[in-house]
Amino acid sequence: MTFKSAMLAGALILLAGCGHGYEGEYRAEGGSENQFIDAVAKIIGDQTLVIGKNYLDSNGERTEFAEIFVRESGSQSYLVFKKADGSEEAWKIVDQDTLERGGGLVSIRMKRVKS
């Protein structure tokens, strides 16, 4: 193996190991301006999620994704969960340890508790 081939192989291995940067355990919290909706959102949203390189674990169930990646849109960033059928769900990136799902009347915030 030549030096050039070895460097290329090393770079490919390094890139394959790279994730999207948001892997870890998150605690979900509901939130809304309306007190009734806020109470319901907290009941629905109060759970722990684990985001992996290409999966999401929630309540003991694992959902596999074709890809999880960060998409820039204007000045906002989103963590995108893309399924094998091409459908996508995007969660707003609030900061390095906070993601937000939904919007409008009800939103669910996920705060990272472990990397």
Side-chain angles (χ1 to χ4, degrees), residues 54-65:
N54 67 340
Y55 66 87
L56 175 69
D57 280 343
S58 176
N59 295 326
E61 292 184 33
R62 177 170 286 197
T63 304
E64 300 276 341
F65 294 93

Side-chain angles (χ1 to χ4, degrees), residues 13-50:
I13 290 170
L14 182 63
L15 286 174
C18 291
H20 43 76
Y22 292 89
E23 292 90 347
E25 184 176 322
Y26 290 78
R27 183 84 180 147
E29 303 167 343
S32 173
E33 298 292 321
N34 180 295
Q35 287 182 336
F36 174 73
I37 294 174
D38 185 53
V40 172
K42 285 182 179 176
I43 292 168
I44 294 170
D46 192 29
Q47 61 182 318
T48 301
L49 308 168
V50 176

